[in-house]
Amino acid sequence: MVKSLTISLIALIIMKNLNMTIIGLSFLTIMSMEATSVVMKKVEFNGLYSMDLVMGMMITLTLFVSFLSYLSSAKIARKSSFNLVIISISIVLVMSFSVSSFFLFFFFFESVLGPLLLLILGWGYQPERLQAGGYMLIYTVFGSLFFLWGVSELYMSGASSSMSSVSGAVKKSAMSLWWLYILGFLIKLPMYPFHLWLPKAHVEAPVAGSMLLAGVVLKLGGYGLLRLMMVMQVSLSSLVFVLLLMINLVGGFYAGLGCVRQVDLKCLVAYSSVAHMSLVLLGVLSNTVLGVVGAIIIMIGHGLCSSGLFSYVNSIYKSSHSRLLVMNKGGLLTCPSLVIMCFLLSSSNMAAPPSLNLFGEILIFGVSGWMSGAFLLILGLMSFISACFSLYLYGSCSHGKGLMYMDSLSMSSVCDVFVLVAHWLPLNFLFMFMP
């Protein structure tokens, strides 16, 4: 399936008909969903590619978000070049999730920065996009070097570089500096205080860049950490482990408080990603079945929810030409359909039933209560502040008196509403098809 997806994506690049590209991407998404539902056990091909349920879900999420991000950028300039960059990002992400070698994963993990940086610099909104691209490049490349160091140490100790074969028999003492080797993944997630590059990149990126960054690229950190946990020896009572999780949870709560004080819509959604992805780190590092399953569910749910919120922000930005909350009030008067979708996505963002975020957070809460009562208390505060900034986002954009010079949204694009509905439906009904 991986080879077929890669060949099909390359063929779509050659096509000059952008409508055929959209149809092809949607078809690949459906096919990958079918393959994911069938494959339940881990399968490896030629020692280079592997396929399991987690990989299938990540590839499906990649193609789905890529398809919706393109629909949200229907009127963007230089469409042919833009289409090429989007497909390039999709190819690199698909290869990142499908390779079974740690070294190949590192290669594609870093390769995604190239087209993503080109997307920000080429289609960004302000001159500050150069600074945002520099922040993203320096942060992620610096942290990933420690991951390469750790994998090299593992390989030099006599172990294989294959993710599947190395998990069974490996000298885990070779990964004694695990807290240093995972730094690249902590930056990519991102974990507080390594999150400073994310708001800058989101603010300067076009809507497709923000949707791909929040929906898929951040999941590379959680996916890589999940794979690396197979060869890591982590003591749950060690000082480093406890300190890492405390900084992570307290930083997530602080990021939630920062959301309530934001005046920029994109910054608000970006900081909410820092708060939610801290739950993923807790679940993966717990190294329990419930914790890992909860982390995977939250990654899928957050990928759909945050991507949808960025698409909503872009929809109202096209009317007011501003991302400030004070300039985007009165949505109920101008476009009730967008407000309804804003409410539905905001409710899913604060883990209201029956969203995937709710099921993931229930599992994470159970694991945190087993680990420490202090972790459970902080998670409770994070859940409360998550509801606060989600309602703050909805209330600020929906109620109040709109500005007189705002373009009317009453005839908003059907494509915008379709993109928002396409985010919300799997986010709230995908649990019915979970194995």
Side-chain angles (χ1 to χ4, degrees):
M1 188 195 84
V2 176
K3 291 182 178 179
S4 301
L5 285 174
T6 306
I7 295 173
S8 302
L9 285 172
I10 294 174
L12 288 175
I13 293 177
I14 303 175
M15 289 184 180
K16 294 184 179 181
N17 191 334
L18 302 185
N19 294 327
M20 291 301 298
T21 301
I22 291 297
I23 296 173
L25 275 176
S26 59
F27 178 74
L28 289 180
T29 303
I30 296 173
M31 293 300 295
S32 62
M33 291 176 67
E34 292 292 332
T36 301
S37 63
V38 173
V39 177
M40 301 298 295
K41 295 182 180 180
K42 188 176 182 65
V43 181
E44 190 167 353
F45 306 97
N46 300 326
L48 295 177
Y49 306 102
S50 63
M51 184 174 183
D52 57 10
L53 185 61
V54 178
M55 183 274 291
M57 289 190 295
M58 290 294 111
I59 289 180
T60 303
L61 180 66
T62 300
L63 296 176
F64 186 69
V65 174
S66 300
F67 169 59
L68 295 180
S69 66
Y70 185 85
L71 289 182
S72 298
S73 309
K75 297 182 179 180
I76 201 164
R78 303 187 301 278
K79 279 189 177 181
S80 298
S81 301
F82 177 81
N83 182 64
L84 180 63
V85 173
I86 293 295
I87 301 296
S88 301
I89 295 176
S90 302
I91 290 176
V92 175
L93 288 172
V94 167
M95 296 303 297
S96 300
F97 290 126
S98 59
V99 294
S100 61
S101 171
F102 277 118
F103 290 108
L104 285 177
F105 176 74
F106 170 79
F107 173 76
F108 289 110
F109 183 82
E110 291 298 312
S111 298
V112 75
L113 291 176
L116 191 61
L117 185 62
L118 185 62
L119 186 65
I120 294 176
L121 297 180
W123 287 269
Y125 294 117
Q126 303 176 96
E128 288 80 3
R129 60 182 182 271
L130 296 174
Q131 183 187 31
Y135 266 73
M136 182 182 68
L137 191 64
I138 293 173
Y139 266 80
T140 52
V141 171
F142 173 75
S144 301
L145 294 177
F146 294 102
F147 167 64
L148 181 61
W149 177 23
V151 174
S152 301
E153 287 284 341
L154 187 66
Y155 185 74
M156 294 300 293
S157 66
S160 170
S161 62
S162 175
M163 297 180 184
S164 57
S165 61
V166 79
S167 59
V170 62
K171 296 179 182 179
K172 294 192 175 183
S173 59
M175 302 294 287
S176 56
L177 296 177
W178 61 269
W179 50 271
L180 185 61
Y181 300 151
I182 66 174
L183 181 61
F185 300 135
L186 300 183
I187 293 175
K188 186 75 79 173
L189 268 173
M191 168 192 163
Y192 186 91
F194 307 116
H195 68 287
L196 298 178
W197 65 273
L198 184 65
K200 293 180 179 293
H202 273 308
V203 167
E204 305 303 331
V207 58
S210 295
M211 292 173 66
L212 285 170
L213 188 60
V216 186
V217 176
L218 299 188
K219 310 306 173 290
L220 278 176
Y223 179 82
L225 191 61
L226 185 65
R227 297 303 189 192
L228 197 61
M229 279 296 295
M230 297 186 298
V231 298
M232 283 167 43
Q233 186 175 16
V234 180
S235 175
L236 301 184
S237 59
S238 65
L239 178 62
V240 176
F241 178 81
V242 175
L243 185 62
L244 179 65
L245 285 186
M246 284 298 296
I247 295 176
N248 170 57
L249 293 178
V250 174
F253 175 69
Y254 183 73
L257 290 177
C259 289
V260 183
R261 295 181 56 85
Q262 289 299 319
V263 296
D264 189 297
L265 286 169
K266 268 198 168 184
C267 283
L268 195 156
V269 181
Y271 276 103
S272 69
S273 297
V274 180
H276 285 119
M277 295 307 287
S278 61
L279 302 178
V280 174
L281 182 60
L282 174 62
V284 174
L285 288 183
S286 67
N287 206 17
T288 60
V289 175
L290 291 181
V292 171
V293 172
I296 295 172
I297 293 176
I298 290 179
M299 281 196 293
I300 300 296
H302 175 266
L304 294 169
C305 187
S306 61
S307 176
L309 288 174
F310 277 116
S311 178
Y312 168 75
V313 170
N314 178 68
S315 299
I316 61 176
Y317 174 79
K318 290 188 294 186
S319 170
S320 65
H321 307 290
S322 174
R323 296 190 307 268
L324 296 179
L325 284 170
V326 70
M327 304 286 287
N328 291 284
K329 292 182 176 294
L332 281 172
L333 300 176
T334 55
C335 187
S337 59
L338 285 180
V339 171
I340 292 174
M341 296 313 305
C342 176
F343 172 75
L344 294 176
L345 289 173
S346 298
S347 62
S348 300
N349 195 43
M350 62 182 181
S355 66
L356 287 178
N357 292 330
L358 173 67
F359 294 97
E361 288 192 16
I362 289 176
L363 297 178
I364 298 297
F365 267 76
V367 171
S368 65
W370 167 74
M371 294 174 65
S372 172
F375 292 168
L376 186 60
L377 176 62
I378 299 176
L379 280 181
L381 294 175
M382 289 177 60
S383 180
F384 171 75
I385 202 67
S386 175
C388 290
F389 65 70
S390 298
L391 292 176
Y392 172 65
L393 171 64
Y394 166 72
S396 299
C397 295
S398 305
H399 299 282
K401 185 177 181 181
L403 298 178
M404 298 300 296
Y405 57 85
M406 282 183 61
D407 299 334
S408 177
L409 273 174
S410 57
M411 299 299 291
S412 61
S413 173
V414 177
C415 183
D416 293 335
V417 179
F418 169 77
V419 169
L420 296 177
V421 173
H423 281 99
W424 180 79
L425 284 177
L427 179 60
N428 287 269
F429 295 100
L430 198 59
F431 73 95
M432 300 173 60
F433 307 97
M434 293 174 59

